[in-house]
Amino acid sequence: MMARVGLLGRIMLVLLGALSLLVMATFGIDQWQRGQERSPYGSRFPRLDQAAGIMALMKDADPGQRPAILRAVSGEALKAEIVDAPPDETALIREPVLEARLSRLSGGEPYGIRAFTTTDKLYRGNGPVDAGNRHQSIGSLAQATYRLPDGRILVVSAITRHRSLMPWLLGQPLSLWVAVLGVAVAGLVTVGARHELAPLRRLTEAVSRFDGRAAEPSLASQGALEIRRLAQAMQAMQERIVGLMGERSMLIGAISHDLKTYLTRMRLRAERVAEPERRDQLLEDLDAMTALIETSLGFARGTAAEVGRAPVDLADIVAVEVAEHAAQGAHISLSGEEVADATVAGDAVALRRVVANLIGNAVKFGRSSVAVAVRWAGTACEVVVEDDGPGIPEDERSAVFSPYYRVERSRNRRTGGIGLGLAIARQIAEAHGGTIVAEAASSGGARLVMTLPALA
């Protein structure tokens, strides 16, 4: 699975993994700190107990002392005041459990005490449990009222202050802010990584286009130092390859010229031989040597030769070759010669050599008939040649395109050939941006398919 992930994907996986660990560590520390916090109060419910104490104190207090007592008991957690009419209870939620506890702690009458919570203080499943009623509270104390003996109302309100200290920030836990920051950082890193990897992608495309004929200009002049150094090394390697290929072409030309010179001399001397039978044998061997040398040199020269780019009607080339073999008595059929716009960009002479080789092999090894077809395949043109001969074994269908490889094991050139025909054919097809593959025909023979990109 990881083999399919690119460099950018791997960087993002590492980054996301690190951010995930950071968020989990922050969340864990947050929870640990909360568990270590100690309440400054001895009771689990300090506001409730304090409100009950205020009620008990105010119940027996002299009316003249009430203002001083209210100032003394009001603080950061609770605010106490005495009013003449009950406060508005519209936004409050009555809490019977808290009322029972307040009544028990203050010693007041149950009907005179009312306790309320609010929606922001609800905590289902976590409230205190009254031992007598066994009813679970749904929220913490927000406000409590108590009717005093003179009929006035004591109102005790809980004061809620915003927690601004860590691990909270703007009302949210620190772990959430770390996660948000991590997502923002991941986005920035993604954009930066894509920008930094762009020269590497361009370098990959340039190296893929390199065919040994000319070095790609300016592979990568931007990007990180390592990428620029890699581009410089690739540029130097391409220039060395182009130089070696040029030297090879010069060497092949020199060898070709010298060999032809010596073969011409040998032919002139052979023609002076008086015995006709020996003379014919010598001339036949010289012709075979000449054909072998020219074919071998043509294959060796093929990787360095520049392919001409001109519109070529593939269907027309195939039709001409089929007509020539049919005129020589071969049982050959053609379909698709009417295919419109079966045009490719390339060298007509080289492509005709490929088609002639494929059809010639089919005629040579086919038992009774050969079928040739020209057709479209998406954005490419295909030439399909089938015969009903012995076919090509499955384990040899790739090897037949290797130089000097022959399925026919004899060394007789009349039946097996030199072994360079298909190698040269694939070489020409690949130089045109296409390919040739060998398959099994429906008749049991060989099926060769040449695919070339169509001219847009």
Side-chain angles (χ1 to χ4, degrees):
M1 187 67 176
M2 286 296 294
R4 300 180 181 179
V5 180
L7 181 58
L8 177 61
R10 292 169 183 257
I11 293 175
M12 292 309 303
L13 287 176
V14 173
L15 177 62
L16 291 176
L19 290 175
S20 299
L21 290 176
L22 177 62
V23 170
M24 288 189 293
T26 305
F27 181 77
I29 294 174
D30 185 6
Q31 296 298 315
W32 178 79
Q33 287 181 342
R34 290 173 181 274
Q36 296 297 315
E37 289 181 356
R38 299 296 182 183
S39 174
Y41 307 100
S43 171
R44 291 179 56 195
F45 315 108
R47 291 181 177 179
L48 197 64
D49 295 346
Q50 186 179 356
I54 295 173
M55 292 179 181
L57 181 62
M58 297 299 294
K59 180 179 63 172
D60 302 325
D62 184 83
Q65 298 177 344
R66 289 176 178 174
I69 296 175
L70 291 176
R71 288 193 298 270
V73 298
S74 297
E76 294 184 357
L78 294 177
K79 175 185 177 182
E81 58 182 342
I82 296 177
V83 296
D84 295 328
D88 184 17
E89 302 175 358
T90 305
L92 301 176
I93 302 173
R94 190 172 179 183
E95 179 48 79
V97 174
L98 299 183
E99 290 179 359
R101 183 177 180 86
L102 285 173
S103 178
R104 185 175 63 254
L105 294 176
S106 63
E109 298 295 334
Y111 61 86
I113 297 177
R114 297 170 67 87
F116 304 92
T117 186
T118 56
T119 55
D120 60 331
K121 296 181 180 297
L122 294 177
Y123 47 88
R124 289 186 179 273
N126 295 315
V129 178
D130 181 73
N133 196 9
R134 308 304 299 174
H135 174 72
Q136 195 167 25
S137 175
I138 62 172
S140 60
L141 179 66
Q143 188 180 90
T145 60
Y146 176 56
R147 185 175 294 276
L148 297 174
D150 60 358
R152 302 188 71 188
I153 306 298
L154 171 66
V155 181
V156 180
S157 303
I159 300 175
T160 303
R161 296 185 180 275
H162 185 272
R163 294 185 61 184
S164 59
L165 299 179
M166 302 298 267
W168 288 73
L169 181 64
L170 302 179
Q172 299 297 331
L174 179 62
S175 56
L176 176 62
W177 292 110
V178 171
V180 173
L181 179 62
V183 172
V185 171
L188 294 176
V189 170
T190 301
V191 175
R194 285 185 61 86
H195 179 268
E196 290 299 322
L197 291 177
L200 187 59
R201 289 194 296 270
R202 292 194 293 268
L203 175 62
T204 303
E205 295 171 356
V207 173
S208 300
R209 291 192 303 267
F210 178 64
D211 56 5
R213 297 184 178 90
E216 290 285 336
S218 182
L219 290 180
S221 58
Q222 299 177 345
L225 177 62
E226 293 79 3
I227 296 179
R228 295 200 302 271
R229 287 179 177 175
L230 176 61
Q232 293 171 0
M234 294 298 301
Q235 184 86 27
M237 185 186 69
Q238 289 188 4
E239 292 174 355
R240 288 196 299 270
I241 292 175
V242 172
L244 291 173
M245 296 295 288
E247 294 176 0
R248 174 187 173 184
S249 298
M250 294 178 60
L251 179 62
I252 290 173
I255 291 175
S256 175
H257 179 270
D258 292 343
L259 285 176
K260 289 180 180 180
T261 300
Y262 286 110
L263 286 173
T264 302
R265 291 179 183 176
M266 293 175 66
R267 175 176 291 277
L268 292 175
R269 292 170 182 171
E271 290 177 350
R272 297 183 191 147
V273 175
E275 300 178 16
E277 183 178 355
R278 180 174 295 182
R279 183 177 62 248
D280 293 340
Q281 291 177 349
L282 289 173
L283 291 176
E284 183 180 354
D285 289 342
L286 287 173
D287 289 339
M289 289 176 62
T290 301
L292 175 61
I293 290 173
E294 288 182 352
T295 304
S296 300
L297 292 176
F299 174 75
R301 195 184 298 115
T303 54
E306 184 69 27
V307 176
R309 299 294 176 184
V312 178
D313 190 339
L314 200 59
D316 183 60
I317 291 178
V318 174
V320 171
E321 285 297 324
V322 170
E324 289 186 0
H325 283 83
Q328 297 173 7
H331 296 282
I332 185 170
S333 63
L334 173 62
S335 62
E337 68 273 15
E338 73 283 353
V339 173
D341 298 328
T343 306
V344 299
D347 186 340
V349 176
L351 291 176
R352 182 167 181 178
R353 181 176 184 180
V354 176
V355 173
N357 181 275
L358 299 180
I359 297 177
N361 284 343
V363 171
K364 181 187 299 183
F365 295 104
R367 294 189 177 94
S368 60
S369 64
V370 174
V372 183
V374 180
R375 65 192 185 191
W376 278 94
T379 59
C381 295
E382 287 186 350
V383 177
V384 183
V385 181
E386 294 186 7
D387 61 63
D388 57 355
I392 303 174
E394 185 176 358
D395 57 349
E396 297 185 54
R397 290 173 189 166
S398 297
V400 293
F401 296 100
S402 302
Y404 303 105
Y405 187 91
R406 299 191 300 179
V407 178
E408 202 275 333
R409 300 302 183 184
S410 73
R411 305 310 298 173
N412 189 341
R413 295 193 185 97
R414 295 180 181 176
T415 58
I418 298 173
L420 284 174
L422 289 179
I424 295 175
R426 170 173 278 189
Q427 186 184 74
I428 295 173
E430 290 180 348
H432 285 76
T435 185
I436 299 178
V437 295
E439 302 172 352
S442 57
S443 60
R447 184 174 185 264
L448 293 167
V449 182
M450 177 176 69
T451 305
L452 296 174
L455 185 63

